[in-house]
Amino acid sequence: MEYILLAAALAVFVIVIFTLEACRAKREEKNFILKLSKDYLKLSDKKYATERFEKLDSYFRRHPKEGQLDDITWNDLGMDELYKRMNYTLSATGEEYLYYALRSISLDREELERFESRVRFFGDHPEARVKFQFRMNRLGHTGKYSLYDYIDNLDYLGERSNKRHFILDLLFLPLMGVCAFNFPVGMLGIAALMVYNIITYFKEKGEIDPYIISFAYVIRLLNVCDELEKAGLSGCGEELEQIKIHKKVLQPMRRNSFWVMNSGSARGGNASGDIIGIVMDYIRMVFHVDLIKFNSMLGILRHHVEDVDSLISILGYLETAAAVWIFRESLENGWCRPEFTEGKLEITLENGYHPLLTAPVKNSIAAGRGVLLTGSNASGKSTFLKTVAVNAILAQTIHTCAADGYRAPLFRIYSSMALRDDLTGGESYYIVEIKALKRILDAAAGTAADAAADVGINAVTAGRAPVLCFVDEVLRGTNTVERIAASTQILKSLGRAGIFCFAATHDIELTELLQDAFDNYHFEENVQNGDISFNYCLQAGKASSRNAIRLLELMGYPDEITDRAFRMAERFLTTGSW
């Protein structure tokens, strides 16, 4: 009787534990859905492990195409921080695709309009968005590595046969037969075979363990695809049809996949450590069922890597669209959809600002040729360059601008702004800079050649898309005389047909030398009562103030330094010599 009571107590204990766990999971699920519905702006409050952040470009590196931002431009504009600001994705697939999207400048209006329709769908159908994002959160991540780190290395596993595993499993049958005639000998043989299987199991399991993470992710990917068909994504019919096609060929991977991974990894979590799981582990060790299934899954995956890649692309594309809608909602200073023009190279930015600034000063500009910015340090030149550049990038990637209005042609975009010495390559700042400028000239040369080949056809409509470039303090790494001479010729080259250049400089001489190719704008400072302030408002014309020495005075430099500097500057302006 006491055994029955003990069994009943254990059963009640197990039921209570499972009930409490189910209630906890349901409560967490409800709270998360509530967050997706009400507090979705907090989804970008993430901490990024260094290893994981370094892998965000995995999808991007695997999918090169024309017009993508190069590393120099991405780093010049601090796009990593902008990415973090707008990363409202919940899965590794979404994170990597969003990174890819921000670096993939689109030169196709229809492509951008299609993306816009998906963003609007998630904005107009909040319930569908919540259901979709909840499922993408279930998809989860792959740890500190990208799925592509595993997929691209599948060949290292080679062709794996199950013959040896089948033979070892079949040996149990004759040994069981031996038990019928000589039980001790039969059991000894079974025990020896079990020990051998366990020893060889751990050796082979260690080789495949890292790949089980990727297999589990693929299984979750297929599960999410199943759920999406019931999620009411009426505005994403094209994507759902593609999902069905690619999912079908990968279905065999799911059959008996529980032998390869525990229930926790299949859901994106950790192993539960329950009794059933422990029993399953011993079955795996003795009979190698997970190794057999793994080899079967490996064969399927190796032949259908592109189908997995397509599913990642489709889900990543949709999750990026949902994240962009939330990003738009987060722009308290306003946003707009860009308008793409044809014909002349003209850019109009109305009340544009940088989306990383919490209290930005908005500026507007309507330019029909190159723009040359002058003004003192900290007056706003570099910020304005980045404002125009970032809005141009956002216009052609996520069809969103931090402005009241943006009108421009479709561009290929480059910059040369925040360069540094290349210590590892042994190159000085000047060498790094002239290489960065040369790549812009080389890109622009193709545009100019295409335009010249069709007499009378504008560079915007002939051949490749025009170049939009941003240059901050051109050739700052060399002496004054050669800097001004070389800068003049380089900027003149960047002011020819098929190129639109925004440049900032402290060399006021360039405003006169380049007046035939560039329009002058400036930012100014106010020095009053021993203090300096900036209004960060863009002004037409060149800068007229020279306050560099005055700033030294305000910062407390000795009078003997500032007075002598003033006199030297006046003498040079008067005589032309030092």
Side-chain angles (χ1 to χ4, degrees):
M1 185 67 182
E2 60 270 19
Y3 293 113
I4 296 175
L5 291 174
L6 179 61
L10 287 174
V12 170
F13 176 76
V14 171
I15 292 172
V16 169
I17 293 298
F18 272 95
T19 302
L20 290 175
E21 177 63 21
C23 290
R24 183 195 62 80
K26 197 69 177 177
R27 186 167 57 253
E28 287 185 356
E29 179 179 310
K30 183 179 179 181
N31 290 336
F32 186 72
I33 290 176
L34 184 63
K35 181 178 181 180
L36 289 177
S37 303
K38 305 295 184 182
D39 295 327
Y40 48 80
L41 295 181
K42 296 180 180 179
L43 294 177
S44 66
D45 297 338
K46 303 177 183 178
K47 295 188 182 299
Y48 294 88
T50 302
E51 299 91 341
R52 175 62 196 154
F53 196 80
E54 289 175 350
K55 296 295 183 178
L56 287 176
D57 65 351
S58 297
Y59 183 92
F60 167 74
R61 299 295 178 191
R62 204 175 191 271
H63 297 81
K65 72 174 188 178
E66 183 184 5
Q68 289 178 323
L69 288 181
D70 60 19
D71 290 343
I72 292 176
T73 304
W74 180 267
N75 293 326
D76 276 353
L77 300 175
M79 293 295 290
D80 278 342
E81 294 306 311
L82 182 57
Y83 168 86
K84 293 177 183 178
R85 164 70 177 79
M86 61 185 296
N87 182 17
Y88 293 95
T89 64
L90 298 167
S91 71
T93 291
E95 282 189 345
E96 292 187 23
Y97 195 93
L98 175 62
Y99 183 94
Y100 161 83
L102 281 178
R103 293 196 66 162
S104 299
I105 305 297
S106 178
L107 302 174
D108 186 336
R109 287 175 172 80
E110 291 184 4
E111 180 181 68
L112 290 165
E113 285 297 331
R114 176 173 171 266
F115 181 74
E116 174 63 33
S117 70
R118 302 308 186 264
V119 176
R120 287 185 183 180
F121 170 77
F122 285 116
D124 295 338
H125 300 82
E127 290 186 4
R129 176 187 62 79
V130 169
K131 289 180 181 178
F132 173 72
Q133 287 190 295
F134 177 71
R135 285 159 175 78
M136 293 307 291
N137 184 63
R138 280 184 173 176
L139 178 58
H141 297 78
T142 53
K144 64 182 180 180
Y145 297 107
S146 167
L147 179 64
Y148 289 102
D149 290 329
Y150 300 107
I151 288 179
D152 292 340
N153 291 315
L154 288 178
D155 287 340
Y156 288 119
L157 291 173
E159 294 290 340
R160 302 177 71 88
S161 172
N162 282 324
K163 288 182 180 178
R164 184 174 66 86
H165 301 302
F166 286 137
I167 291 172
L168 290 172
D169 285 348
L170 289 173
L171 283 176
F172 280 103
L173 296 177
L175 288 173
M176 291 172 66
V178 171
C179 287
F181 301 100
N182 191 328
F183 186 77
V185 173
M187 287 303 299
L188 183 63
I190 290 174
L193 183 58
M194 290 175 65
V195 171
Y196 177 79
N197 278 2
I198 291 173
I199 292 173
T200 56
Y201 173 84
F202 282 109
K203 179 179 181 297
E204 193 162 341
K205 187 70 160 51
E207 294 176 358
I208 70 171
D209 252 344
Y211 297 91
I212 290 177
I213 296 173
S214 63
F215 281 29
Y217 194 86
V218 173
I219 297 301
R220 298 201 303 273
L221 191 71
L222 294 172
N223 292 339
V224 167
C225 288
D226 283 345
E227 295 173 356
L228 288 184
E229 294 177 9
K230 310 168 188 175
L233 301 182
S234 57
C236 308
E238 183 180 338
E239 286 79 12
L240 293 177
E241 287 300 316
Q242 289 297 314
I243 283 174
K244 288 181 181 178
I245 295 171
H246 298 295
K247 186 185 70 170
K248 185 176 181 180
V249 299
L250 292 166
Q251 286 287 55
M253 280 192 71
R254 286 203 284 192
R255 297 191 193 112
N256 302 317
S257 60
F258 63 88
W259 285 113
V260 178
M261 59 207 74
N262 57 60
S263 59
S265 64
R267 293 191 304 266
N270 298 317
S272 60
D274 57 19
I275 294 175
I276 295 176
I278 294 172
V279 172
M280 293 281 286
D281 284 340
Y282 277 107
I283 294 175
R284 292 184 183 104
M285 287 187 282
V286 173
F287 297 104
H288 293 193
V289 287
D290 56 337
L291 303 183
I292 293 170
K293 180 56 184 175
F294 176 88
N295 292 340
S296 171
M297 295 172 75
L298 176 63
I300 297 169
L301 185 57
R302 289 183 66 178
H303 288 93
H304 296 288
V305 167
E306 294 309 314
D307 290 288
V308 174
D309 180 64
S310 295
L311 289 179
I312 290 172
S313 299
I314 295 166
L315 294 185
Y317 177 82
L318 293 178
E319 191 172 10
T320 294
V324 168
W325 178 80
I326 298 176
F327 174 64
R328 289 177 176 179
E329 289 286 293
S330 74
L331 293 174
E332 297 178 353
N333 295 294
W335 63 275
C336 71
R337 299 181 185 92
E339 178 185 339
F340 298 112
T341 60
E342 295 182 4
K344 291 184 178 181
L345 286 183
E346 295 180 337
I347 297 179
T348 300
L349 182 68
E350 298 175 14
N351 294 320
Y353 66 95
H354 197 292
L356 289 181
L357 297 177
T358 54
V361 174
K362 298 182 178 181
N363 278 295
S364 301
I365 189 171
R369 61 176 186 167
V371 172
L372 188 64
L373 293 171
T374 49
S376 64
N377 285 321
S379 61
K381 299 190 305 299
S382 296
T383 299
F384 181 74
L385 288 183
K386 291 180 179 180
T387 294
V388 179
V390 164
N391 276 291
I393 290 169
L394 295 182
Q396 291 181 230
T397 54
I398 63 169
H399 208 248
T400 305
C401 294
D404 291 344
Y406 174 89
R407 290 183 296 279
L410 294 170
F411 286 110
R412 290 174 293 140
I413 302 171
Y414 297 87
S415 72
S416 175
M417 295 178 64
L419 305 173
R420 300 177 181 175
D421 294 350
D422 183 1
L423 298 179
T424 57
E427 294 181 338
S428 69
Y429 178 89
Y430 181 69
I431 296 298
V432 171
E433 186 179 19
I434 61 176
K435 284 185 175 181
L437 290 168
K438 180 63 162 55
R439 90 191 198 287
I440 300 176
L441 290 169
D442 289 343
T447 301
D450 290 336
D454 293 280
V455 178
I457 300 179
N458 191 279
V460 179
T461 57
R464 305 172 70 188
V467 167
L468 175 64
C469 64
F470 301 86
V471 182
D472 195 2
E473 292 301 329
V474 61
L475 301 184
R476 74 180 80 176
T478 190
N479 64 80
T480 303
V481 174
E482 290 185 299
R483 181 178 67 247
I484 293 175
S487 297
T488 300
Q489 298 309 314
I490 289 173
L491 291 176
K492 278 186 177 180
S493 293
L494 294 177
R496 65 176 182 248
I499 313 169
F500 206 113
C501 179
F502 282 76
T505 183
H506 280 101
D507 295 321
I508 202 71
E509 296 87 349
L510 293 178
T511 60
E512 298 295 334
L513 294 168
L514 295 170
Q515 60 182 339
D516 292 336
F518 284 77
D519 289 330
N520 287 306
Y521 291 86
H522 72 278
F523 289 90
E524 59 187 19
E525 69 287 333
N526 296 314
V527 178
Q528 225 173 16
N529 300 323
D531 195 11
I532 185 169
S533 62
F534 302 95
N535 58 26
Y536 306 114
C537 293
L538 183 68
Q539 308 286 333
K542 63 181 180 180
S544 58
S545 61
R546 290 177 176 270
N547 286 315
I549 300 174
R550 179 67 171 151
L551 287 174
L552 295 179
E553 191 175 49
L554 293 175
M555 293 300 294
Y557 274 69
D559 290 345
E560 62 184 65
I561 293 178
T562 56
D563 288 345
R564 290 175 182 175
F566 272 123
R567 288 196 297 271
M568 285 185 68
E570 289 299 325
R571 183 166 61 249
F572 177 79
L573 292 173
T574 303
T575 65
S577 64
W578 295 107

